[in-house]
Amino acid sequence: MTENKRQFRAIKGTRDILPPDSALWNWFEQTARNTFESYNFREIRLPIFEETELFARSVGADTDIVSKEMFTFNIGHDAESKEEPSQTYSLRPEATASVVRSYIEHRMQTFPGNLKLYYVGPMFRRERPQKGRYRQFYQIGAEVLGQSDAAAIDAEVIEMLMTFFKRADLTRTTLYINSIGDKNCRPQYVEKLREELRKVADRIGPDSQRRIETNPLRVLDSKLPEEQAIIGKLPRISDHLCDECREHFAKLKEELRLRGIAYEENWRLVRGLDYYTRTTFEVIAEGLGSQNAVCGGGRYDGLVELLGGPPTKGIGFAIGTDRAILSLQESGKLPSLPALAVFVAWMGQAAYLTAVNIAQKLREAGLAVELPPEEMKFKRSLALADKLGARYALIIGEDEVNSGTFTLKRLADSDQKKLSKFDLLEYLESERRDTRA
Ligand code: ATP
Ligand code: MG
């Protein structure tokens, strides 16, 4: 028998987020939570798989996401379960469908006011993996569901998004907005677009040709250089909005201006999901190459009804965390995150008990402390403290135990202080306050 030395690796398109990057991820997500909660949004935790049908109905069976990007499986027949053997499930490619499913299931229309929810977690799409595009990726999203479609809601959602990016120091961004009309005006526009596209069909690529019949709006999204001049001459939705949609869009822009949010209009911004109406928006960031969209969002007023719920208005966005973090890393503007504060360099069994006690006290005070589990030679101990990036080494030998004073060595400049147990905690805490301020 040959020994199987096969090494396992993360599946293509998935990755491990290791320290220290994981600290940056946590900080980024925590900054989102804090910002969203300051706008009175609250978290919803959702399953990561749902019935395939839910996504087919909401995202749209003809979209790229549903037609070719979902991970779908069935649970198989189990004699004791009443589940249909043919029932298929999909790993969620996005979360709005689940939020809406949950809204209907739990009759959240009976909750007071507009429902403001956010979520954080992984999504799954079977795409070709490349920089900024993964098969398991992460989103932070927010949704507002309720009876009102006031443009002030759209503006607040966008303000919250841009405020979060500012707090996370993701500032080299551009916000694009558009209105893609509603069921009263979009069908006529789409027909008009289709007519114009048919006239130029022989001059556009096969993808765009196919979309003339299936989804002409998506042609506007084309990045092919040879199609740009043709697309530039196509009819624009802004010239075909009904009065209500035009007013809503004008109000949104006014609201954004009064909130001090910079934006650019982009008539070609259509988004790839079927459920959008009126307001659509996208944020792009620098340093990402062609995968530069870090957030997509928009209004979806018909979606709750489409999934069998009561008439409800909705708007939301989803931030691509992987790309946002990449952009932050490229910008080099990373926050200084809490690191190892104290390495306890203890020597001799007589010092061990004191070392354990002091480590407990410092940890209780919220400091990160490394206590070597086995005795180490003094030099090796300090070398390890340095490599681990500790701010301080706390030296505890037999002499220190006897005298009750300890040496605290700042590793950056080798500055040393002798402190009693009591002063030690006080000193470290005040020093921490100063470095945070
Ligand atoms: P793209 O045009 O880049 O494929 P999308 O329109 O499919 O994006 P949405 O469904 O609107 O994206 O999702 C919102 C955000 O989620 C995107 O702006 C992006 O930042 C992120 N995102 C989408 N797909 C992936 C992926 N496969 N890997 C990493 N991030 C992704
Ligand atoms: Mg996509």
Side-chain angles (χ1 to χ4, degrees):
M1 210 174 96
T2 55
E3 199 185 347
N4 189 350
K5 288 238 175 136
R6 180 174 165 222
Q7 291 226 336
F8 293 99
R9 297 179 147 267
I11 295 165
K12 194 170 151 217
T14 73
R15 40 193 201 131
D16 305 312
I17 312 291
L18 309 177
D21 287 357
S22 51
L24 181 64
W25 279 69
N26 284 336
W27 166 83
F28 187 78
E29 289 175 343
Q30 191 56 46
T31 306
R33 290 171 186 281
N34 295 345
T35 307
F36 295 179
E37 282 171 21
S38 77
Y39 283 79
N40 194 32
F41 281 66
R42 289 188 294 167
E43 183 175 11
I44 181 166
R45 294 192 180 221
L46 298 158
I48 63 165
F49 61 103
E50 300 266 5
E51 285 184 45
T52 304
E53 184 64 19
L54 173 68
F55 301 115
R57 289 257 297 275
S58 57
V59 176
D62 292 335
T63 58
D64 284 355
I65 293 178
V66 171
S67 67
K68 54 185 194 210
E69 295 175 0
M70 288 209 294
F71 288 100
T72 296
F73 56 96
N74 57 39
I75 280 193
H77 191 57
D78 162 0
E80 271 162 46
S81 109
K82 294 191 188 74
E83 269 166 325
E84 284 286 318
S86 61
Q87 179 65 66
T88 71
Y89 304 111
S90 297
L91 296 184
R92 61 180 187 191
E94 58 108 53
T96 303
S98 302
V99 171
V100 171
R101 193 262 311 135
S102 177
Y103 179 86
I104 298 168
E105 183 172 343
H106 301 288
R107 298 180 46 76
M108 293 192 217
Q109 70 273 17
T110 61
F111 291 15
N114 288 319
L115 193 67
K116 298 159 89 174
L117 300 171
Y118 74 87
Y119 59 84
V120 179
M123 308 293 156
F124 306 85
R125 296 184 192 176
R126 198 164 56 208
E127 304 195 70
R128 192 169 68 78
Q130 52 196 289
K131 182 186 174 193
R133 197 178 286 290
Y134 310 99
R135 290 181 165 182
Q136 174 171 339
F137 62 101
Y138 296 80
Q139 286 186 340
I140 301 171
E143 318 280 357
V144 180
L145 289 148
Q147 288 311 304
S148 168
D149 62 359
I153 298 176
D154 309 37
E156 183 179 77
V157 162
I158 294 173
E159 179 192 317
M160 177 172 89
L161 169 69
M162 299 314 287
T163 301
F164 163 51
F165 282 159
K166 201 196 267 166
R167 287 198 201 171
D169 224 350
L170 190 72
T171 48
R172 300 178 311 157
T173 54
T174 309
L175 164 68
Y176 292 112
I177 63 167
N178 192 22
S179 174
I180 57 168
D182 65 5
K183 59 178 188 300
N184 299 317
C185 52
R186 191 168 40 186
Q188 284 101 297
Y189 169 70
V190 169
E191 225 14 79
K192 176 126 194 93
L193 190 61
R194 189 173 274 139
E195 271 168 39
E196 294 304 312
L197 280 167
R198 282 184 184 137
K199 293 182 196 161
V200 295
D202 53 336
R203 289 154 55 205
I204 55 180
D207 278 345
S208 291
Q209 273 176 13
R210 195 166 24 84
R211 287 178 175 141
I212 298 177
E213 302 312 319
T214 59
N215 196 347
L217 279 178
R218 291 294 287 166
V219 176
L220 303 180
D221 216 21
S222 160
K223 309 255 172 356
L224 292 180
E226 59 275 22
E227 293 182 348
Q228 299 310 306
I230 298 165
I231 293 171
K233 295 200 196 84
L234 291 170
R236 304 183 173 206
I237 182 109
S238 49
D239 298 327
H240 295 85
L241 294 176
C242 61
D243 291 345
E244 289 79 10
C245 286
R246 188 176 312 114
E247 257 166 54
H248 191 271
F249 194 39
K251 193 86 209 310
L252 168 65
K253 289 183 273 185
E254 185 189 315
E255 277 275 349
L256 288 175
R257 279 192 293 270
L258 76 86
R259 289 160 194 264
I261 308 297
Y263 63 84
E264 282 179 31
E265 272 182 69
N266 176 0
W267 69 278
R268 288 176 53 180
L269 180 67
V270 292
R271 319 279 312 117
L273 294 80
D274 276 0
Y275 52 61
Y276 283 118
T277 54
R278 291 190 170 174
T279 308
T280 55
F281 55 99
E282 187 164 276
V283 179
I284 62 157
E286 284 182 27
L288 295 173
S290 54
Q291 267 66 58
N292 63 355
V294 290
C295 177
R299 188 160 268 296
Y300 47 85
D301 292 338
L303 184 58
V304 177
E305 254 179 304
L306 182 72
L307 293 177
T312 308
K313 311 285 202 259
I315 181 168
F317 62 74
I319 297 163
T321 310
D322 305 75
R323 292 185 196 173
I325 299 261
L326 266 173
S327 178
L328 273 180
Q329 288 169 330
E330 302 267 335
S331 77
K333 284 192 299 186
L334 300 180
S336 58
L337 296 169
L340 179 56
V342 180
F343 184 100
V344 182
W346 61 274
M347 279 139 299
Q349 284 307 311
Y352 184 61
L353 180 63
T354 309
V356 169
N357 280 333
I358 290 190
Q360 283 178 342
K361 289 235 157 49
L362 297 180
R363 285 168 173 161
E364 204 173 311
L367 295 159
V369 175
E370 177 67 17
L371 175 73
E374 288 164 308
E375 186 170 0
M376 293 173 77
K377 293 241 157 54
F378 185 63
K379 269 218 168 108
R380 275 195 53 216
S381 203
L382 284 196
L384 180 59
D386 208 37
K387 280 196 198 131
L388 292 176
R391 284 177 65 75
Y392 292 99
L394 178 65
I395 298 151
I396 308 181
E398 255 173 73
D399 293 348
E400 282 81 1
V401 173
N402 292 334
S403 68
T405 56
F406 308 98
T407 304
L408 188 68
K409 178 172 173 164
R410 190 160 60 207
L411 293 167
D413 57 5
S414 295
D415 176 61
Q416 298 205 17
K417 283 197 165 43
K418 284 208 176 296
L419 295 163
S420 74
K421 195 166 165 176
F422 181 76
D423 294 339
L424 178 68
L425 193 63
E426 185 134 297
Y427 176 79
L428 285 170
E429 283 195 316
S430 72
E431 190 263 2
R432 187 172 50 158
R433 271 196 302 277
D434 293 348
T435 53
R436 289 260 167 93

